[in-house]
Amino acid sequence: MPASLTEHMLGDIIAENQELALHNHQHFNESGCFAVNLSSAPGAGKTSLLEKSLPFLSKESSCAVIEGDMIGELDAERLRKHGVEVFQINTGKACHLDAQMVARLLHIKNMRNVDFLFIENVGNLVCPARFPLGEHKRVVLLSVSEGDDKPLKYPAILQHADVVLLTKCDLLPYVDFDLPLAIDRIHKLNPGATCIAVSAKNGRGIEDWLHWLREEEIKVLARIHH
Amino acid sequence: MPASLTEHMLGDIIAENQELALHNHQHFNESGCFAVNLSSAPGAGKTSLLEKSLPFLSKESSCAVIEGDMIGELDAERLRKHGVEVFQINTGKACHLDAQMVARLLHIKNMRNVDFLFIENVGNLVCPARFPLGEHKRVVLLSVSEGDDKPLKYPAILQHADVVLLTKCDLLPYVDFDLPLAIDRIHKLNPGATCIAVSAKNGRGIEDWLHWLREEEIKVLARIHH
């Protein structure tokens, strides 16, 4: 978000995004599709988490991924190997997905046959916080190699998270990262956030993360059908 | 950079930044101050690198740091312990420093007594690429824990780098990171970039990094005095 944008210009951009996010949210509800928005710094392991999760979820549910990247289809290609449908959005110069990009995709492809839709945002711990996409739940990943001070330095994105995954926990023996302290700092910003320590490498926490996803999907679908 | 900014609005913002960056650059030249802009993803180790470097550089030169963070003075406090002057800029909602923020600081504090000025940008691999601050050299840090695919996914910031530091090399035995492949990918984007593998933890590469800094400072000062 350039600092030199006036508050007025910024307000217009945010308001327009909110409106389109609501439109997307209604689309997801009508389709019975549980949509999750994943944000993190570059290289925190969003794609690795999905590579680890999709084989389990796909056994019993239909999964799809919207893949946000400035350029290329690298992550999309990794995920397609797991047999799920992946829709690539290239943002070009933009440092985050916005609701309009997702809305454009939803006009071409409805999500009626999708149970779980994962929207993998561009790697960025700042701007995605202000651009909801219409998702039901927000997931933020913090890698333990980034340091336990990150909740103090990038609070906005954590304040909006439903679940925070502390990723790459297999590296805990080799980095200075105080896991209880990091979780405490996240809870000070956002007492309701579920925190799960995970590792896509050794599988730690993946079961808990999948459990969280399935429970939240059931709750959201129940709310839609009422 | 919000995608919904029109090209016209974006063009105006970039042009205004360029003008102020030139102003800052002249200020640095007139002060005989070698200014370096450090960018990376959150948690790639910019502050740790400076903590490791400043004790060596401070022995023979005067050093100062401009510390860019959305909120707080955490990194500034870490660096002040090393006896250098640190100027905090809090960017609020902005995901990067811009030339105006630096210009405002330079009007209060000239850099005449500073040999090395390090400008630590907000953790972000996207937007800082388009906002030069008036620096002489650009340094980009990529942590090996982020993955060797990052040059393919965030090319813009690497295309503008003078030196790329591959950080946290002490973690190489524990992560899937192909160092020669990563360097090859960086050189495909930017054949002139100097690449140095470093670790603030075990000291690998720090000597080479300091050597690069001292050589570049001498070249820049020689150019100014001609």
Side-chain angles (χ1 to χ4, degrees), chain A residues 1-5 7 9-10 13 16 41-44 46-47 67-72 74-75 78 91-96 98 100-101 120-127 130-131 143 145-147 149-150 152-156 168 170-171 174-176 201, chain B residues 1-5 7 9-10 13 16 41-44 46-47 67-72 74-75 78 91-96 98 100-101 120-127 130-131 143 145-147 149-150 152-156 168 170-171 174-176 201:
Chain A
M1 198 71 60
S4 42
L5 271 181
E7 274 303 311
M9 281 153 78
L10 186 58
I13 290 171
E16 190 193 14
K46 296 182 293 302
T47 313
E67 189 55 58
D69 286 296
M70 297 181 73
I71 187 172
L74 273 186
D75 292 346
R78 282 169 63 185
T91 61
K93 291 165 188 164
C95 62
H96 58 90
D98 67 24
Q100 185 166 37
M101 298 175 191
E120 186 179 337
N121 223 312
V122 179
N124 182 336
L125 269 186
V126 183
C127 301
R130 310 193 79 199
F131 288 85
S143 143
S145 54
E146 291 165 37
D149 58 341
K150 291 303 156 292
L152 305 174
K153 296 189 62 188
Y154 301 89
K168 307 197 187 186
D170 53 287
L171 293 178
Y174 316 114
V175 295
D176 299 318
K201 211 163 195 173
Chain B
M1 198 69 61
S4 42
L5 272 180
E7 272 305 311
M9 279 154 76
L10 186 58
I13 290 171
E16 190 194 12
K46 297 181 293 300
T47 312
E67 190 53 59
D69 286 295
M70 297 181 73
I71 188 172
L74 272 185
D75 293 347
R78 283 170 63 185
T91 61
K93 291 164 187 165
C95 62
H96 58 90
D98 67 24
Q100 186 166 37
M101 299 175 191
E120 187 179 339
N121 223 311
V122 179
N124 181 336
L125 269 186
V126 182
C127 301
R130 309 193 80 199
F131 288 85
S143 142
S145 54
E146 292 166 37
D149 57 342
K150 292 303 157 290
L152 304 173
K153 296 188 63 190
Y154 301 89
K168 307 196 187 189
D170 53 288
L171 293 178
Y174 316 113
V175 295
D176 299 318
K201 210 161 195 174

Side-chain angles (χ1 to χ4, degrees), chain A residues 151-165:
Chain A
L152 305 174
K153 296 189 62 188
Y154 301 89
I157 201 149
L158 292 164
Q159 277 159 349
H160 292 92
D162 294 293
V163 63
V164 180
L165 303 177

Side-chain angles (χ1 to χ4, degrees), chain B residues 1 13-14 17-22 24-25 28 33-40 46 49-50 95-100 102 116-122 124-142 154-166 186 190 192-196 209 212-213 216-217 220 223:
Chain B
M1 198 69 61
I13 290 171
I14 300 277
N17 187 79
Q18 285 286 5
E19 204 173 302
L20 281 162
L22 188 63
N24 295 343
H25 192 73
F28 294 136
C33 163
F34 178 58
V36 174
N37 179 359
L38 296 107
S39 299
S40 77
K46 297 181 293 300
L49 176 83
L50 292 179
C95 62
H96 58 90
L97 290 173
D98 67 24
Q100 186 166 37
V102 174
F116 287 92
L117 175 68
F118 296 95
I119 309 173
E120 187 179 339
N121 223 311
V122 179
N124 181 336
L125 269 186
V126 182
C127 301
R130 309 193 80 199
F131 288 85
L133 308 173
E135 67 274 356
H136 293 105
K137 296 288 168 184
R138 283 198 176 201
V139 180
V140 174
L141 289 77
L142 276 185
Y154 301 89
I157 201 148
L158 293 163
Q159 278 160 349
H160 292 93
D162 294 293
V163 63
V164 180
L165 303 177
L166 290 310
I186 294 163
N190 180 350
T194 301
C195 292
I196 310 174
W209 151 243
W212 181 87
L213 275 175
E216 294 301 322
E217 189 219 11
V220 162
R223 221 171 27 235

